[in-house]
Amino acid sequence: MTLNRVAPLVHASAAALLLTSCAGSGGSDELYGAPEISNVIDGVVFEAGDWEPHLAAGAEGRSWGNHRAVVVLDSAGGDAVLVTIPWRRRDREPAAKSIVVVDAGSNEPVTNVIPLRIDNMSGEIAFRPNPGSEAYHVYYLPWESTGGYYPRITYPSFVSTADAAWERQVRAADRSALARARTTHIQSVNAFHSFFPMEVIASDSETAAFMSTAKDGWAVVAEHRDYPVRMREFLPRHWTDRAQTNEFSSRALRGEYFTFQLALIAGADPVDGVRVTFDGFPARFSETLTCFNCGGINEKGERFETDVSVPTGTVQPLWIGLAIPEDQASGTYAGDLTVSTTGHGSKTVHVSIEVQPGRATNHGFDSPESMTRLAWLNSTAGTDSDFIIEPFEPVGIEGHSLSILGRTVELGASGLPDQLLSYVSPELTHFVETPQQVLARPIDLDIIVGGRPEQLEPSALTVRQEARGRVAWSVESRSARVAMRVEGALEYDGMLDYRITVQALRDLRVDDIALPIVLQAEAAEYMLGLGFRGGKRPQRVDWTWEIENHQEGVWLGGVHAGLQYVLRDDDYVRPLNTNFYQNQPLRMPASWFNDGRGGIRIETGADAVTARNYSGPRRMAAGDTLQFDVRFLLTPFKPIDTEAHFRTRFVHRYVPVDSV
């Protein structure tokens, strides 16, 4: 299964759509909302409720949950009543989760309760009603929270509080003889938590009937953006309840970024090699029509394609985007979307879009619940290397000396820096004539074999201007045993990026490959990183790689001159932050990490500070290559505009800024 780039956005937005979408009309600047879906299923009303949660957000403890069934007794229930709740829920192992029955009048839990049968489609629950009470709430997803900003949520199993004699009597009774209660409503605590309609599941028989007419064993359903696909293992009941069609129609405003989705449903066999093509649309539409799941533009501004495969019995949403031109004439425009596969044929959906006279404000981006911001996934903003943000300046070249705003990089013969200079004043408000030197000695990569650094002969160094805001260079150096290629680039803001490739020309036993960075003491007075939260630099730091620490580099500096660097390789992927770190932690740079032998040692000398970035001993066979990538940031980046700083205020409370 390939990565679905839009799944988190879709899931987070779905419930909000029920509140914010509205039916548009010609000449209106409001985005079109899809027709409403009947919320009555099996005679039960699915709706958003409006009750005070049993447990406040962020609190520690056990909550009755955010979902309940409203149950009524039409007559006196006697000692026990039985109710069937057709909840059509999609959670895994529903029988392993608890239920809570609450008297709707007193809002107090009922003690004598027995869940007799629980599955995804429905549950049968027996309970002893309170005298005179005819309405009850059955909460069916109670949860327990550790509390705090990043709580751990668990769903406890059912623990009986029923009287033992009463429970034996009910279990022994003929169920048909028990008094019946009926379910009138399935409710969520609010619209945001609603499961309707896209998480109200179809039954196995409804799904089988739906798929029985699917040619080649798979189906495509066109769906409005208002109802994002939220389930991969189940079909929503409203799909199986409506007539199948290969047509889709909707409305859009001029200037709107319009989206909708095609849901591919794989039957008994997986569906591979999924592609979406467009045909018959006006040429202006074809220029921007795209399937976000099939490819797009990555964070580097490069185009890519995704191999979309859909496993057996799962649903894959294919989100389609289209930028309606600002000056598009009103009218209905149509074309075909063809979903093709490898070995399972193709299916075509005829799409018609009525462009209305109204104009969308800000392309509809102010209504993210309508999925308009999916366009941002393919944004090229920030990729124009000729664009320079004020007050930064283009990168200047004078031989091997490179200048940017307030800083200079002097390259050595190896392509690595001989010196870094900062012209920023100690007050950080202007530039000075005499710069602060950052390095106490040139930076070089030490490849130590047999106790001695390898002596490499470099080729000629040539710096090329790739754009106004970026220069690049490359140098190849070699000895009889080792070859090294240094590829460097400097950008206008102060990012100095290196890709260093080391290749063994013969079998070697390497003592160490290290990058010592020796800084002037005044340019390393403070430290941030490697587990230190900032402040005066310790006299000595011994740091080794630990995946759980999310550490890969450090900043060393003074007030007006400093250097931050991180150690990476070609396989680097930015980790997710905060409580999502375990989902995508730091991927160790293999060459620097070296199976735990690498690390960073920072030591204080008489007039310099040395940060030795080492990788430790290893064996290299002839032809083996290692990647030692480093990204530097030269600080400070720009002078402080004190007037602007004093004029601008920030507040982190939801109040008018002028009131604080």
Side-chain angles (χ1 to χ4, degrees), residues 220 222 243-248 335-337 347-351:
V220 170
Q244 294 192 50
T245 178
N246 62 351
E247 295 188 353
F248 174 79
D336 293 329
L337 270 66
K347 300 184 189 297
T348 297
V349 176
H350 185 71
V351 175

Side-chain angles (χ1 to χ4, degrees), residues 263-469:
L264 191 157
I265 307 161
D269 298 318
V271 180
D272 300 320
V274 177
R275 289 285 181 270
V276 178
T277 55
F278 311 96
D279 184 56
F281 290 95
R284 303 178 77 193
F285 283 22
S286 300
E287 292 172 359
T288 61
L289 271 165
T290 188
C291 172
F292 291 101
N293 302 82
C294 300
I297 299 173
N298 65 18
E299 71 279 5
K300 298 179 181 178
E302 303 165 339
R303 290 200 165 272
F304 71 95
E305 291 186 356
T306 303
D307 179 19
V308 179
S309 298
V310 188
T312 299
T314 61
V315 180
Q316 171 65 52
L318 301 170
W319 278 89
I320 311 299
L322 165 65
I324 306 296
E326 296 273 0
D327 58 350
Q328 187 69 41
S330 302
T332 300
Y333 301 88
D336 293 329
L337 270 66
T338 298
V339 181
S340 58
T341 67
T342 300
H344 285 82
S346 62
K347 300 184 189 297
T348 297
V349 176
H350 185 71
V351 175
S352 61
I353 301 171
E354 179 188 342
V355 177
Q356 300 175 293
R359 187 180 303 278
T361 301
N362 192 25
H363 309 293
F365 295 154
D366 297 339
S367 301
E369 68 277 2
S370 293
M371 304 302 170
T372 49
R373 293 186 187 179
L374 288 182
W376 295 1
L377 288 175
N378 290 337
S379 172
T380 58
T383 60
D384 182 1
S385 53
D386 280 325
F387 176 75
I388 295 176
I389 299 172
E390 294 182 353
F392 293 106
E393 302 169 346
V395 182
I397 304 174
E398 187 174 336
H400 295 167
S401 182
L402 313 176
S403 62
I404 56 176
L405 181 70
R407 291 150 293 169
T408 296
V409 177
E410 296 178 352
L411 298 177
S414 69
L416 291 165
D418 266 2
Q419 186 54 267
L420 305 173
L421 303 172
S422 172
Y423 289 84
V424 182
S425 70
E427 300 83 8
L428 302 180
T429 57
H430 61 281
F431 299 128
V432 295
E433 293 287 335
T434 304
Q436 166 69 56
Q437 293 186 348
V438 176
L439 300 179
R441 83 170 207 201
I443 297 177
D444 211 344
L445 188 73
D446 292 339
I447 304 170
I448 302 173
V449 181
R452 305 177 110 187
E454 196 75 0
Q455 299 300 311
L456 305 177
E457 289 296 325
S459 62
L461 169 63
T462 302
V463 181
R464 60 189 182 277
Q465 186 103 38
E466 293 188 334
R468 294 175 64 241

Side-chain angles (χ1 to χ4, degrees), residues 129-150:
N130 294 329
S133 296
E134 298 179 353
Y136 296 84
H137 296 146
V138 179
Y139 293 85
Y140 57 87
L141 278 171
W143 46 265
E144 193 165 12
S145 173
T146 57
Y149 290 112
Y150 300 107

